[in-house]
Structure formats: structure tokens, C-alpha cells
């Protein structure tokens, strides 16, 4: 067949795709167009406002309410992506995205997703996608070595940290041998309260896990933190001892390395002491900060984590991996297996010895799983350990630089230490003759207006938290495209807007 004989569905009169998929010819043509579009998107992203400038319902109003009766040409669909979809997005890939945890995709990650969609492997059993299972083992071993966790930890990929932590706490519960798997928790007078401990700065996903697993919010002990937002390990010990005295069952303590508000680091070794003394499962939530441990001089961050039963870290947060990819490492894979293995007859295979062949569906609630390891493996190979470390090191340097500007400027203050790449600060211009309460109220209002006006400018996107009751602006550096220039510009923007707002309020 000569090339001109290849049917171009697009050109057909009254476009109607024949049965089967798009032709190889069209796939090539649109594939090139899409890759070009993405390359332009990345190259010109700074011309777009970071935060979407749409109102709720805007996009819905622009799209037909009913599905198309007949197929439409790919060209028409792509032009709507360009004209309607992209403008209605907040651009996480924008280098001036400093909100939440700034996380970004990377080119090798995009390629990994593309191939993943093409293979469309459902990695439920080893035999349904051998490469998916084995590449996961290889990529997670590489990642484990890069962050310095011992070989006694094995990893498994889930979608998000919330789901990884839920599985860890389910394994912790299984380890108690309370027959919860078989008998459940409801209607059991023989079952004492099963308790989970975490700090009051921990991520909401821990509380959601406790809700989901049926332990109930009343079983969650939120341990107070010190002046630098780290869990008070003595208070943890007291809480565990009190529960034991009352006949309750301490099950799991969740320490955070890199809390969501301030990136504070709980004293994991001291938490591990308490856990070991009372046989409590130690889970470490290092969703954000785990990636920092690929930087050799930051490995100390995970000190004590070698004693944990499980640890979660998110390559989709700070390792340039497109959403989603979260990794749960555990020294007790057998317990996770015990908690979740359930093999119906139609899934029995020749490779039944799970110790030799890990069928991932036996380690979680999902049966089918995406081939997520592919993108991680491609990213680690493309950047190398050194390349990944260099980028994260630079992000930490930029955060320190920004913090140094805050510290040396009157009328601005830091509200938390800066161990990694997040700076918590506020504008604090002084005013004569105010009480403390008046000052706090004025600064809360000023900083809220400040962040709103910076975000409305489209030039940068920042979010906030509350620390000791104060409205606190967070600058999170983590995007692969962010440079010193972007950090400098957001600092100028903040100062301009602050001056403008302060003038107005005089
Ligand atoms: C972001 C974050 C999470 C939640 O991450 P998901 O992958 O979106 O579920 C959990 N814990 C910490 C400490 C985080 O920073």
C-alpha cells in the first residue's frame, strides 16, 4: 500500500471513523501535533496566569450538554483543548507556582505516561504485566537506595500518600491479631478501643484513614507539638501509657517528616523508642520531604526511619513525576499481604508462591493497577541520582535565599524555621499605638489581602496556612522550572502589593 492509499479518516466526507481504532497514519500525525503543542505549552507557560481565571461553571457553559452523535475529527477536539481546556486550568507546571507543595511533571515523566497509556497494562498479577511488576521492584529499589533506607524495606506503589498511609494503618491493625479481618469491629464487646497517634500538625489523610478503617475519630490521639511544630515525644509516651492503663490498644503512631504547613520534622528516633517499648507500629509520613533524602547532605532527615515499620514518600510531590505515584516502603510486607490478600479462583495462577512472585493485587484494595513504575524508572534514568539531587538542592537554596530576604527586611517576618524548600512568613509593617490583639487582627487582614492580590495578578500563586492563630503565607519551591529569577520576581511582587495595600489602609 502506497502512503496515499492509507485511509485518512479525517478527510473522509462527513467524518465517520470506521470500526476499530484511529489509523496508524492519523495517530502519527496527531501524536506529532500533540507533542508540539506540549512543547509550546512548556516553552510559553509563563505567558499564562498561574491561577485559573475562570469562574465555577464557565467551562461547563462552553461545552455541549449532550454527547456528540457522530465522531468528530481529532483536529477539532485538539483545538478545543487549546481554546477551552488549557485556559481553564491552574498551571502546576508554571515556574511561579509556589502554592501548597509546588510539584511538577517533567518531560521524561510525560513520556512515561504516554507509554503507560499505550501499554494499558493491568498489573494485577505478575503474569498480566510481568514488566510492570518487575520494573516496580527495580525502580523502588533504586529509589530506596537513593534515600538511604536499608534493604530490609520493600516498596509498593499506590496512587497517593493518603492511600499509602491508609494501607499502612490497615497493616498495623492486622498486626494486632485481633481477628478484625475476619470478624470486623462492629458489634464486638470483646474489642477494646484501638488507638492511633499522630501530631496535631499531621496531614488530614491520617484522620481520614482512621475514619475509613472504622477505627473512628475518637481513636485518634493528636499529640501536641513544640515551638517548632514537631511532635512532643514525651507527650506521645504519656498518651500511649494512659491508653494502656485504661485497657485500650495502642496500634500505630504516625510521625511526619516534612509536615504540610511548615515542613517540620518530628523526632522520629524518639518516637521509635516509644513505639518499640510498647510494640506500636511506626508509620512515617514523608510524602513531601522523603524526596529531599536523595540529596546526600540531607539524608539525615530520615534519621530513625530505618526503625519504622512503614514509610510513605511521594515521587509525584518533589521528584518531578507526573501525578500520581506514591510509594509505601515497609519492613513488614508479609503483614500487608496478610491484611489484603484474597485470591478468588479465577485469579489463581501457576505462580502462586507470593514470596517469589509478587501479585500486587494482594497488597491493597485495588485489583487492577496502572503501570506507574515506568515513568519513575524513566525519570531516575534520565536525570540520574546526581541530577535529581542537584534540582532539590537548588530548591532548598532558593527557599533559604527567600527566607534571608524576609529576615533582613523590616516589616516582614518568618513564622517558622525553613528546613527544606517551604518558607512561612507574613508582612508585618509596624504601626504605633496598637494593642497586640489589634496588631494581629490588622496583620491577618493585610496578609489575606496581600496573597489575594498577588494571586489575582496571575504572575504567581501562593497559598496560606494558620500558625499559632496567625494568617501565614507559604512560599513552596518545588517546580522543576523555577529559578532564582522567579523567586526574586515574586518577592518584588509581594513588596509592591504590600506597599500598595498599606497605603490604601492609611
Ligand atoms: C501532600 C501530603 C499528603 C497527601 O498526599 P496525597 O498523595 O495527595 O494523598 C500526606 N502527607 C503529607 C505530609 C503531605 O505533604
Amino acid at each position: 500500500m502506497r502512503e496515499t492509499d492509507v485511509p485518512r479518516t479525517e478527510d473522509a466526507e462527513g467524518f465517520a471513523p470506521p470500526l476499530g481504532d484511529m489509523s496508524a497514519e492519523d495517530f502519527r500525525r496527531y501524536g506529532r501535533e500533540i507533542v508540539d503543542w506540549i512543547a509550546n505549552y512548556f516553552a510559553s507557560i509563563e505567558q499564562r496566569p498561574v491561577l485559573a481565571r475562570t469562574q465555577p461553571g464557565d467551562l461547563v457553559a462552553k461545552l455541549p450538554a449532550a454527547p456528540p452523535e457522530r465522531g468528530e475529527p481529532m483536529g477539532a477536539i485538539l483545538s478545543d483543548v487549546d481554546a477551552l481546556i488549557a485556559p481553564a486550568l491552574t498551571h502546576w507546571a508554571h515556574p511561579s507556582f509556589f502554592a501548597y507543595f509546588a510539584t511538577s511533571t517533567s518531560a521524561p515523566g510525560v513520556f512515561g505516561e504516554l507509554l503507560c497509556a499505550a501499554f494499558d497494562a493491568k498489573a494485577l498479577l505478575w503474569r498480566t504485566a510481568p514488566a510492570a511488576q518487575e520494573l516496580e521492584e527495580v525502580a523502588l529499589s533504586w529509589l530506596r537506595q537513593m534515600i538511604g533506607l536499608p534493604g530490609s524495606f520493600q516498596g509498593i506503589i499506590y496512587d497517593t500518600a493518603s492511600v499509602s498511609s491508609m494501607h499502612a494503618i490497615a497493616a498495623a491493625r492486622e498486626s494486632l491479631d485481633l481477628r478484625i479481618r475476619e470478624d470486623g469491629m462492629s458489634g464486638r464487646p470483646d474489642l477494646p478501643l484501638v488507638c492511633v497517634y499522630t501530631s496535631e500538625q499531621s496531614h488530614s489523610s491520617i484522620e481520614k484513614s482512621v475514619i475509613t478503617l472504622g477505627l473512628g475519630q475518637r481513636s485518634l490521639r493528636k499529640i501536641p507539638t513544640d515551638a517548632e511544630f514537631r511532635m512532643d515525644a514525651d507527650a506521645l509516651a504519656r498518651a500511649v501509657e494512659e491508653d494502656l492503663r485504661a485497657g485500650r490498644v495502642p496500634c500505630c503512631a504516625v510521625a511526619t517528616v516534612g509536615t504540610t504547613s511548615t515542613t517540620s520534622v518530628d523526632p522520629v528516633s524518639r518516637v521509635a523508642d516509644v513505639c518499640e517499648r510498647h510494640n506500636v507500629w511506626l508509620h512515617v509520613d514523608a510524602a513531601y520531604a522523603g524526596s529531599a533524602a536523595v540529596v546526600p547532605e540531607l539524608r539525615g532527615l530520615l534519621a530513625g526511619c530505618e526503625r519504622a515499620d512503614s514509610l510513605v514518600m511521594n515521587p509525584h510531590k518533589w521528584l518531578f513525576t507526573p501525578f500520581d505515584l506514591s510509594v509505601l516502603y515497609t519492613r513488614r510486607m508479609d503483614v500487608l499481604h496478610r491484611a489484603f490478600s484474597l485470591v478468588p479462583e479465577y485469579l489463581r495462577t501457576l505462580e502462586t508462591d507470593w514470596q517469589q512472585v509478587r501479585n500486587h493485587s494482594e497488597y491493597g484494595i485495588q485489583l487492577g493497577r496502572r503501570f506507574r513504575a515506568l515513568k519513575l524508572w524513566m525519570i531516575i534514568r534520565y536525570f540520574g541520582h546526581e541530577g535529581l539531587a542537584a534540582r532539590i538542592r537548588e530548591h532548598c537554596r532558593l527557599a533559604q535565599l527567600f527566607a534571608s530576604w524576609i529576615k533582613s527586611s523590616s516589616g516582614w517576618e518568618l513564622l517558622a524555621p525553613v528546613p527544606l524548600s517551604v518558607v512561612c512568613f507574613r508582612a508585618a509593617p509596624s504601626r504605633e499605638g496598637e494593642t497586640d490583639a489589634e496588631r494581629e487582627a490588622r496583620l491577618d487582614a493585610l496578609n489575606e489581602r496581600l496573597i489575594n492580590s498577588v494571586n489575582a495578578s496571575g504572575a504567581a500563586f501562593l497559598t496560606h496556612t494558620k500558625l499559632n492563630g496567625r494568617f501565614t503565607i507559604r512560599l513552596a519551591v518545588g517546580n522543576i522550572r523555577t529559578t532564582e529569577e522567579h523567586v526574586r520576581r515574586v518577592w518584588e511582587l509581594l513588596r509592591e502589593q504590600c506597599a500598595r495595600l498599606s497605603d490604601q489602609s492609611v
Side-chain angles (χ1 to χ4, degrees):
M1 204 184 233
R2 284 178 298 122
E3 201 177 308
T4 46
D5 294 335
V6 176
R8 299 272 295 257
T9 49
E10 174 94 355
D11 301 336
E13 179 76 8
F15 178 79
L19 296 183
D21 201 2
M22 182 186 284
S23 70
E25 168 77 355
D26 278 359
F27 186 82
R28 257 188 215 103
R29 174 172 151 213
Y30 291 117
R32 290 198 189 98
E33 261 181 46
I34 289 173
V35 168
D36 278 342
W37 190 93
I38 296 172
N40 290 336
Y41 171 73
F42 285 152
S44 64
I45 197 163
E46 291 185 59
Q47 292 159 23
R48 297 175 183 264
V50 191
L51 183 61
R53 286 203 174 130
T54 54
Q55 296 302 314
D58 275 0
L59 181 63
V60 171
K62 287 181 186 148
L63 297 173
E69 202 57 48
R70 305 189 64 197
E72 298 180 59
M74 199 66 207
I77 302 170
L78 292 181
S79 59
D80 280 352
V81 169
D82 182 69
L84 302 177
I85 310 296
L89 281 169
T90 291
H91 299 287
W92 287 72
H94 195 299
S96 296
F97 187 110
F98 296 111
Y100 310 108
F101 280 115
T103 69
S104 69
T105 187
S106 59
V110 172
F111 290 150
E113 284 286 4
L114 188 62
L115 288 167
C116 172
F119 293 134
D120 191 32
K122 283 80 172 180
L124 43 133
L125 305 172
W126 176 86
R127 63 153 56 171
T128 63
Q133 192 260 311
E134 297 192 16
L135 203 60
E136 181 160 332
E137 193 176 312
V138 171
L140 296 192
S141 166
W142 287 0
L143 182 61
R144 177 188 59 70
Q145 294 170 52
M146 290 195 298
I147 64 173
L149 275 184
S152 48
F153 283 83
Q154 290 180 304
I156 180 161
I157 294 176
Y158 296 113
D159 53 1
T160 58
S162 305
V163 168
S164 294
S165 288
M166 195 273 289
H167 282 87
I169 297 170
R173 188 179 66 175
E174 181 62 25
S175 74
L176 298 173
D177 291 324
L178 290 172
R179 289 191 56 84
I180 291 171
R181 182 185 153 116
E182 298 80 4
D183 299 339
M185 302 184 73
S186 68
R188 282 186 63 181
D190 64 311
L191 198 65
L193 193 70
V194 173
C195 301
V196 175
Y197 308 79
T198 195
S199 92
E200 55 192 19
Q201 288 287 321
S202 80
H203 191 266
S204 55
S205 56
I206 305 308
E207 187 160 346
K208 276 201 192 171
S209 298
V210 163
I211 296 169
T212 308
L213 292 168
L215 299 168
Q217 280 167 301
R218 79 186 168 108
S219 72
L220 186 68
R221 276 74 175 108
K222 290 193 182 170
I223 308 299
T225 53
D226 67 12
E228 297 192 355
F229 310 104
R230 300 169 297 201
M231 187 195 283
D232 175 348
D234 294 330
L236 171 69
R238 285 194 298 275
V240 171
E241 282 152 20
E242 191 185 316
D243 281 329
L244 281 169
R245 270 197 304 276
R248 297 183 281 255
V249 182
C251 168
C252 178
V254 182
T256 312
V257 172
T259 57
T260 311
S261 275
T262 70
T263 75
S264 61
V265 177
D266 286 342
V268 176
S269 293
R270 300 199 45 222
V271 172
D273 290 342
V274 177
C275 289
E276 281 166 13
R277 198 175 321 135
H278 299 293
N279 198 25
V280 171
W281 182 291
L282 172 56
H283 175 60
V284 175
D285 180 356
Y288 153 76
S291 296
V294 307
V295 181
E297 66 271 23
L298 293 177
R299 270 206 186 167
L301 267 174
L302 296 186
C305 292
E306 70 285 352
R307 294 163 67 192
D309 295 281
S310 57
L311 173 146
V312 58
M313 65 161 295
N314 277 357
H316 73 221
K317 218 161 221 176
W318 201 9
L319 217 57
F320 320 118
T321 305
F323 199 78
D324 46 16
L325 200 166
S326 173
V327 180
L328 182 71
Y329 283 109
T330 177
R331 289 192 291 139
R332 303 177 70 181
M333 203 49 102
D334 56 322
V335 181
L336 189 64
H337 183 258
R338 225 164 69 207
F340 288 102
S341 174
L342 190 65
V343 186
E345 188 53 39
Y346 51 81
L347 292 178
R348 291 200 187 280
T349 68
L350 301 175
E351 304 87 13
T352 42
D353 184 349
W354 66 271
Q355 303 230 345
Q356 270 171 23
V357 172
R358 193 188 298 161
N359 292 324
H360 278 129
S361 56
E362 293 181 57
Y363 295 81
I365 53 171
Q366 273 187 281
L367 176 64
R369 308 166 77 249
R370 304 178 65 223
F371 187 2
R372 292 192 183 86
L374 183 60
K375 57 186 172 182
L376 181 60
W377 175 76
M378 288 171 70
I379 286 165
I380 298 174
R381 284 190 67 178
Y382 182 77
F383 293 109
H385 185 179
E386 246 179 53
L388 292 168
R391 284 164 178 80
I392 288 173
R393 186 183 288 121
E394 174 66 0
H395 290 163
C396 295
R397 185 188 75 83
L398 295 177
Q400 291 301 333
L401 185 66
F402 185 86
S404 74
W405 297 334
I406 296 281
K407 269 188 267 186
S408 60
S409 307
S410 68
W412 294 85
E413 57 191 30
L414 277 185
L415 296 179
V418 184
L420 294 163
S421 72
V422 172
V423 185
C424 293
F425 66 99
R426 68 174 176 175
S430 54
R431 181 180 286 178
E432 298 287 299
E434 264 177 339
T435 65
D436 277 356
E438 284 164 350
R439 175 179 151 83
E440 291 303 325
R442 173 176 62 90
L443 294 182
D444 277 359
L446 171 68
N447 281 278
E448 188 162 359
R449 284 163 64 213
L450 175 57
I451 206 170
N452 289 339
S453 68
V454 166
N455 293 343
S457 78
F461 179 28
L462 298 160
T463 49
H464 78 283
T465 186
K466 275 239 156 113
L467 296 177
N468 300 319
R470 294 168 168 169
F471 189 96
T472 304
I473 303 180
R474 287 169 80 263
L475 175 105
V477 185
N479 188 295
I480 198 163
R481 286 163 216 287
T482 302
T483 65
E484 186 168 329
E485 184 54 30
H486 299 104
V487 176
R488 214 172 271 287
R489 267 191 263 148
V490 72
W491 174 227
E492 278 163 20
L493 185 61
L494 280 160
R495 281 188 303 173
E496 270 166 36
Q497 297 295 324
C498 182
R500 192 177 60 79
L501 293 169
S502 307
D503 283 351
Q504 281 174 1
S505 64
V506 184

